């Protein structure tokens, strides 16, 4: 039976820089398929990722490995056989969680397979040592020991009792023919004990099956709870957004309340101003009357101004005529003065002559 894929996911693959042991080096330009494979022949698990014809990850999962989440979407594990550290960047936290859970499950399975292999090795070794010192016994004694598969699945307490019974059988056999009757009685008692232990073993097997079913139900319940947790986390995110939205709305409401208070104060001032409107209306009517009287006075003044202007024009016209007449009179006067001056000079000349 060859390797079979049991789980597959997609992620960006990184390897630790062998020079610095600090920086991550991307193993490809895009996300790759990461698969868990189970080898039924070797009872082992591997993580494999291939990019075209190039093998990017070939890591055998051992019980000593640990998958560590370093962020919400990134995880890593160290492979001592490959002498490197692999890093995976997932598209979401949910994919990372599923991969980490599968890693833990595979790790536990690898540990269980290793323990079973060690138990089988120890059981086979003990069986070989006992066979080397064992004497021929009846078929009933063989049924007391049981098969290797039965030993591998018996509970520890039953194994201890069976081993003690076998030791007692060996002790009785070593006493020889002198204790044959006693040995037969002891063998019969041990056969009865073996029957009771077989019944207890069957009950234990049934209990194991029942516990396996309960474990499977618990795993299914755990998966449902994990899904519920994911949904609740999504609801928590929605609740956080709603809370932030409510905070913003509360701030907006406070601002609007402040604006309303300002508007109310302004409205109160306007109401106070409205109470002054009748006084202002009376003042306005008084001003209108004054304005009307001023307009009438202005009209009268305009009429007077027009009449004064006409009088001024007439006066100017008369003054012009007077100026002309005065000019002509002055000209005549100057002529007369000249004549009188000439006449005076004549009289003076005449007086001197006389």
């Amino acid at each position: 039976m060859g390797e079979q894929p049991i789980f597959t996911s997609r992620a960006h693959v990184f390897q630790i820089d062998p020079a610095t042991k600090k920086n991550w080096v991307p193993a490809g330009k895009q996300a790759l398929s990461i698969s868990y494979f189970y080898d039924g022949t070797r009872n082992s698990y591997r993580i494999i990722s291939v990019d075209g014809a190039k093998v990017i990850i070939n890591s055998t999962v051992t019980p000593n490995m640990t998958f560590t989440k370093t962020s919400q979407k990134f995880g890593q594990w160290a492979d001592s056989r490959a002498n490197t550290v692999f890093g995976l960047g997932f598209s979401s936290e949910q994919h990372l969680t599923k991969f980490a859970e599968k890693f833990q499950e595979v790790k536990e399975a690898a540990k269980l397979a290793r323990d079973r292999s060690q138990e089988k090795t120890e059981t086979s070794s003990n069986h070989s040592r006992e066979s080397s010192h064992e004497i021929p016994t009846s078929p009933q004694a063989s049924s007391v020991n049981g098969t290797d598969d039965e030993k591998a699945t018996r509970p520890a307490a039953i194994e201890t009792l069976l081993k003690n019974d076998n030791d007692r059988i060996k002790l009785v056999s070593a006493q020889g023919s002198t204790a044959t009757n006693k040995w037969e009685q002891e063998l019969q008692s041990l056969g009865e004990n073996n029957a009771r232990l077989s019944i207890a073993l069957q009950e234990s097997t049934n209990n194991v099956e029942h516990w396996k079913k309960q474990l499977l139900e618990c795993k299914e319940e755990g998966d449902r709870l994990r899904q519920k947790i994911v949904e609740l986390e999504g609801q928590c995110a929605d609740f956080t957004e709603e809370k932030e939205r409510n905070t913003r709305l509360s701030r907006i409401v406070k601002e609007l309340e402040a604006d309303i208070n300002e508007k109310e104060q302004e409205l109160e001032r306007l109401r106070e101003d409205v109470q002054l409107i009748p006084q202002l209306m009376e003042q306005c009517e008084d001003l209108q009357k004054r304005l009307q009287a001023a307009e009438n006075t202005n009209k009268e003044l305009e009429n007077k101004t027009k009449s004064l202007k006409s009088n001024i024009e007439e006066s100017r016209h008369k003054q012009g005529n007077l100026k002309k007449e005065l000019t002509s009179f002055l000209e005549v006067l100057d002529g007369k003065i000249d004549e009188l001056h000439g006449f005076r000079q004549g009289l003076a000349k005449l007086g001197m002559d006389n």
Side-chain angles (χ1 to χ4, degrees), residues 26-88:
K29 296 182 180 179
Q30 58 185 359
L32 303 175
S33 295
I34 318 296
S35 300
Y36 287 93
F37 281 81
Y38 172 65
D39 189 346
T41 304
R42 298 180 180 179
N43 199 14
S44 63
Y45 297 86
R46 287 197 301 167
I47 301 175
I48 298 175
S49 178
V50 180
D51 186 6
K54 183 179 178 182
V55 178
I56 304 300
I57 300 177
N58 185 7
S59 178
T60 301
V61 180
T62 63
N64 298 327
M65 287 184 177
T66 301
F67 186 84
T68 305
K69 295 181 182 179
T70 57
S71 67
Q72 292 183 347
K73 297 182 181 180
F74 193 87
Q76 65 184 47
W77 80 95
D79 190 342
S80 58
R81 296 181 181 179
N83 193 23
T84 186
V85 179
F86 294 102
L88 299 179

Side-chain angles (χ1 to χ4, degrees), residues 200-264:
L201 179 61
Q202 184 64 32
E203 293 177 355
S204 299
T205 303
N206 295 333
N207 290 332
V208 168
E209 294 296 329
H210 179 67
W211 294 336
K212 286 182 179 179
K213 291 181 181 179
Q214 287 185 345
L215 179 60
L216 182 60
E217 293 176 357
C218 289
K219 287 183 178 180
E220 293 177 354
E221 183 66 20
D223 293 336
R224 289 194 296 271
L225 290 176
R226 291 190 188 97
Q227 185 65 27
K228 189 66 175 178
I229 288 171
V230 172
E231 295 176 357
L232 290 175
E233 288 178 349
Q235 293 178 2
C236 288
D238 296 338
F239 177 74
T240 303
E241 293 178 358
E242 187 67 22
K243 187 176 180 180
E244 293 177 354
R245 190 181 302 110
N246 290 335
T247 302
R248 291 194 298 270
L249 291 176
S250 298
R251 186 170 58 253
I252 293 172
V253 168
K254 290 181 180 179
E255 293 176 356
L256 291 175
E257 288 177 352
D259 293 338
I260 290 172
N261 291 331
E262 293 179 358
K263 296 298 183 183
E264 288 180 351

Side-chain angles (χ1 to χ4, degrees), residues 128-148:
S128 299
R129 288 196 299 269
E130 290 174 0
S131 298
S132 62
H133 300 287
E134 189 176 10
I135 61 174
T137 58
S138 65
Q140 291 180 349
S142 176
S143 66
V144 170
N145 292 331
T147 63
D148 293 339

